[in-house]
Amino acid sequence: MVFWVIGLIFVIGILGFVLWQRQELNKFRVTDYDVCTDRLSQELRMVLVTDLHAWEYGRDNEKLLASIRAQKPDLIFIAGDLIVSAQTSKYAVAEQFCRQLVSIAPVYFANGNHEKRVQQEDSAYFEDYRRLEATLRGMGVHILNNAHEKICIHGEEISIYGLDLPLIYYSKAKKIPWKETQLTELLGLPDRQYTILLAHNPKYTKEYLDWGADLSLSGHYHGGLVCLPGIGSVVSPQFELFPKYSFGMYEEAGKTAITSRGLGTHTFHIRICNRAELVNIVIHGKK
């Protein structure tokens, strides 16, 4: 009898966990960050989307898009992993999502590891992704892979950079030495204007700020998938335990970095104390 009771409790626990995760994976929250700088004089509003992985909130992502519109952004940033590299059947989700985004505000995109992986010519999905990328460019998405653009918005001049790191820096269970000249080789020296850097992998956040980013925007860690109260994220996609810069806002030497928990998942569909998020950022200039 005792074993039956234990078994029943176990089954109920598993069922409860599955139902809870189903709810967690179909909801997201909006996280607001205020960034202050004396390098700008006007207020700028922006939304950060990371790690969507062709996830959908409502039909054609209508719930996510409605939330983005409600933020009234001046700029929309996608810091990588719009897709799951091998799921070409879902590339259309990314395409439809971006088609709606460009009607809201200018969209700037930089690769994550999933995009980087399928851009290798030996990838089985190379042609599929090349078509998707061409479609995104055609609809007006600004794709910045080791490139940048200078823009003027509300009378403010800013530079937006997109970092596309070599895949070796996404290796699992390996400590890859950071090449000190990596960022200048890929991006050159930063402009004098206020500089925003889209850099998917947050592991090198300190290096991004040292390079010269006034605002660094990342994702990739999915918030660590599992978060412990008072401790934070448990493990990164590279199997690094308790990774630094896993989510939230970090301020160092007058510069700011923000890492999003991301919006989608892949492979391991788990989020514990770590709800998906859309990041809303307001930059307050010195008036």
Side-chain angles (χ1 to χ4, degrees):
M1 182 66 178
V2 172
F3 292 108
W4 280 103
V5 172
I6 293 174
L8 180 61
I9 292 172
F10 179 78
V11 170
I12 291 173
I14 292 296
L15 180 60
F17 177 78
V18 170
L19 292 173
W20 173 52
Q21 282 299 290
R22 183 178 177 84
Q23 287 295 311
E24 287 297 286
L25 293 170
N26 285 282
K27 294 181 179 180
F28 67 93
R29 67 182 184 188
V30 177
T31 304
D32 297 307
Y33 293 109
D34 291 289
V35 177
C36 297
T37 178
D38 59 5
R39 301 200 64 202
L40 297 173
S41 60
Q42 301 297 316
E43 179 180 283
L44 297 180
R45 304 183 63 87
M46 53 196 67
V47 161
L48 171 63
V49 172
T50 73
D51 305 283
L52 184 63
H53 291 298
W55 207 258
E56 291 185 89
Y57 293 95
R59 183 176 180 180
D60 294 330
N61 264 312
E62 59 184 7
K63 293 180 181 178
L64 178 56
L65 288 163
S67 187
I68 292 173
R69 290 189 185 96
Q71 311 312 315
K72 298 181 179 179
D74 299 305
L75 300 166
I76 298 171
F77 297 125
I78 305 176
D81 281 5
L82 189 59
I83 61 167
V84 176
S85 56
Q87 295 180 4
T88 57
S89 62
K90 291 189 176 182
Y91 284 13
V93 174
E95 177 185 335
Q96 177 63 22
F97 178 64
C98 288
R99 195 173 297 281
Q100 296 299 314
L101 281 187
V102 296
S103 68
I104 300 172
V107 178
Y108 294 84
F109 170 85
N111 276 354
N113 52 301
H114 279 255
E115 288 87 15
K116 183 69 172 179
R117 192 178 300 140
V118 294
Q119 285 183 327
Q120 313 307 300
E121 292 193 10
D122 60 350
S123 168
Y125 316 107
F126 176 77
E127 292 297 335
D128 295 281
Y129 186 73
R130 189 168 70 168
R131 284 192 288 272
L132 173 61
E133 186 179 56
T135 300
L136 296 182
R137 290 185 186 276
M139 67 177 65
V141 175
H142 301 256
I143 298 179
L144 302 176
N145 291 325
N146 295 332
H148 76 284
E149 289 186 16
K150 297 179 183 180
I151 68 170
C152 183
I153 184 165
H154 298 331
E156 299 282 4
E157 291 188 350
I158 65 174
S159 291
I160 304 169
Y161 284 76
L163 177 63
D164 186 18
L165 281 175
L167 278 174
I168 191 173
Y169 288 110
Y170 293 100
S171 300
K172 290 180 169 55
K174 293 181 181 178
K175 188 174 182 179
I176 305 300
W178 177 258
K179 185 179 179 181
E180 289 186 4
T181 59
Q182 185 67 266
L183 293 180
T184 53
E185 288 179 12
L186 295 176
L187 300 173
L189 295 173
D191 289 332
R192 295 180 179 179
Q193 291 89 359
Y194 187 86
T195 297
I196 298 173
L197 174 65
L198 308 183
H200 184 65
N201 191 343
K203 182 177 178 66
Y204 307 102
T205 292
K206 184 179 185 303
E207 285 76 8
Y208 304 152
L209 300 182
D210 288 345
W211 168 77
D214 293 293
L215 176 62
S216 173
L217 303 175
S218 302
H220 184 52
Y221 281 0
H222 295 200
L225 294 181
V226 177
C227 289
L228 300 178
I231 295 176
S233 61
V234 174
V235 63
S236 77
Q238 274 69 60
F239 304 130
E240 177 187 2
L241 293 176
F242 309 110
K244 191 177 181 181
Y245 304 116
S246 53
F247 63 85
M249 184 167 76
Y250 308 87
E251 295 180 303
E252 298 182 9
K255 298 178 180 180
T256 304
I258 294 173
T259 303
S260 170
R261 297 174 189 261
L263 281 156
T265 61
H266 68 93
T267 310
F268 301 107
H269 300 295
I270 297 173
R271 282 187 179 272
I272 297 177
C273 300
N274 179 42
R275 182 163 289 186
E277 68 179 359
L278 174 70
V279 171
N280 180 52
I281 304 166
V282 180
I283 298 181
H284 302 276
K286 185 179 180 181
K287 295 183 179 179

